[in-house]
Amino acid sequence: MGMTIAQKIIQSHLISGEMKAGSEIALRIDQTLTQDATGTMAYLALENIGIPRVKTEISLAYIDHNTLQCGFENADDHRYIQSVARKYGVHFSRPGNGICHQVHLERFGKPGKTLIGSDSHTPTAGGIGMLAMGAGGMDVAVAMGGGAYYISMPKMYKVNLTGKLQPWVTAKDVSLEILRILSVKGGVGAIIEWGGEGIKTLSVPERATITNMGAELGATTSIFPADEVTREFLKLQGREDDFIALASDPDAAYDKIIDIDLSALAPMVACPHSPDNVVAAAEKNQIPVSQVCIGSCTNSSLRDMLRVAAILKGKTIADTVSLSISPGSRQVLSMLSECGALADMIAAGARILECACGPCIGMGFSPASAGVSVRTFNRNFEGRSGTRDAQVYLASPEVAAASALTGFITDPRTLGDYPDVKMPDHFLINDSGVLAPAAPDEAVSLQVERGPNIKPFPKGEALPDQMALPVSLKVGDNITTDHVMPAGAKVLPYRSNIPKMAEFCFGVCDESFPARAMELGRSCVVGGANYGQGSSREHAALAPLHLGVRMVVSKSFARIHAANLINAGILPVTFENPDDYDQLPQGAVLEMENIHQSVKNGRIAAKIQNTDQIIYLSCQLTDRQLGILLAGGLLNYTREAGV
Ligand code: MIC
Ligand code: SF4
């Protein structure tokens, strides 16, 4: 039987396990990346493991999220990351050099290699045929130390593209279409391979938009073949030597095949507050817009920016709109400036932001109260923009630019002819924004710089054999890690200070949760389906841990978050009978005995205190995962067992 692209890369990196969907496999990791908002924890974990030097082919520490420096905290965190990177053998991408995924695609990603990153949009690099996955910071630390990355062997899905995108219809619309078809849960446990004749018409940045938003489907990752389009992209980046051709075998088998005719797609938007809430842009043309934000790791390539500049050229944005544009990398910004496109954007009224995540993570540019913001980003979760009642619509750069001009959500086809954009023959290459680490002999004597915001890594507690856990919070379906641990300019500076950060835990759902959980001592949280979707932030496990949460019971979990809970020493379990969700109110107490043996057996009987009712909780853990829980988290486990 032939193999899919992902199966080929998995096979060549398999350390242990069986390539059977659902079985745990251990993979050798060639490259890692971190960003600053998750990086501090990842490097604190690396220091804890006690490895003197990273063992990957290349590891990078990007600074792109916490770039507002309203106090000392973010600047201190950056200094810590710079010094720890230099000492441990990690390349450091300075603030201003660009968004991790965009820079990684341009300068470091290689087809056929494995990459894990402490950011859920790491699959962006699947656009050039890498097996690239988002992971928690502790998992990235272990991989930097030469340890394996463990996942359950995913199912294989294929999306076959036929036809060709019509003028004004873009790769973003392809992403929105697949979200419309599959929903934010539809990719859980699967790798999505993109193929068919239609992919030949898509450039690497367009492919990367699609693999980027595979994260919103909950997919383990998404991947394109490495073909002549990939070779051309790497050549323009002066990296043709990094190219290898990669394709699936003609007789490869897939668990699901979806066909999309590119020619039939129209410009679309994802309505508040979920990326799968997708309708045609034309349907929303009565909605006035007060803000438009263009950029993020989904849509900040030179191609996207040149299109936007061409649409804005010679025009002025509507009086009612504030428009931000954040180019994805210094390469993109320099080239925009060189060809005059930047001047066209500025002349039209755009506010140019630095090459960073910016508004996407709520670092500035929060909309006005109840404001409608059209964003080319990948997530529109409630409150993520920094304004709780903002109405955020996700769209392509084309829809965004058109909406900025008209002041209403706009199907850009109403603007007339699609402007012709010519891509340059040469790319500006200047890697001076990436600092190489110190040589090993110099590194030994280097001191890591730690400001007062860098607090020690929280300590996990070994899983007790007996617990009576009150339900400190009950939430519904599709709870994101943005709900659990909000981001934004106010909270992000505390990413390396878990006690402080925990004060904001679940703030979007219930502001009284942190105080209540602290008062209860140990407790558990109850959630619905797809609990923990979205961001890879392990803070969504570490902050609850700090507040005494020892178990999360849900109908189902998102992949990265389930791993992060285990890594933090919190037990993730699901309802054996999903209807029991309704039997378990906030405040109920679950009494459990013989927990260790029950976890091994995959089933815990939990008695609801002061009733005769017993509910069954299911936990499908591997021996390794049980070992992590019994050790009180991945760091303790790794120190005891080695990487
Ligand atoms: C996001 O898009 O939510 C983030 C911010 O990039 C996160 C990481 C984080 O919370 O630091 C992600 O996607 O993993
Ligand atoms: Fe940054 Fe937004 Fe991309 Fe996350 S999704 S990496 S915050 S640009």
Side-chain angles (χ1 to χ4, degrees), residues 515-535:
R516 183 167 62 249
M518 277 306 235
E519 207 177 295
L520 288 170
R522 284 184 186 153
S523 70
C524 68
V525 167
V526 172
N530 200 23
Y531 180 89
Q533 66 156 331
S535 155

Side-chain angles (χ1 to χ4, degrees), residues 15 27-29 55 139 141-150 643:
I15 296 174
L27 293 175
R28 181 167 50 76
I29 297 302
K55 296 189 176 146
D139 281 325
V142 169
M144 284 193 273
Y149 180 52
Y150 291 82
V643 285

Side-chain angles (χ1 to χ4, degrees), residues 212-227:
N212 174 281
M213 278 198 85
E216 275 52 68
L217 297 163
T220 304
T221 189
S222 305
I223 194 163
F224 273 81
D227 57 9

Side-chain angles (χ1 to χ4, degrees), residues 101-119:
H101 309 303
Q102 179 66 25
V103 178
H104 206 83
L105 190 75
E106 291 168 356
R107 307 300 310 141
F108 299 102
K110 294 183 183 178
K113 298 280 184 187
T114 52
L115 163 72
I116 64 167
S118 59
D119 192 281

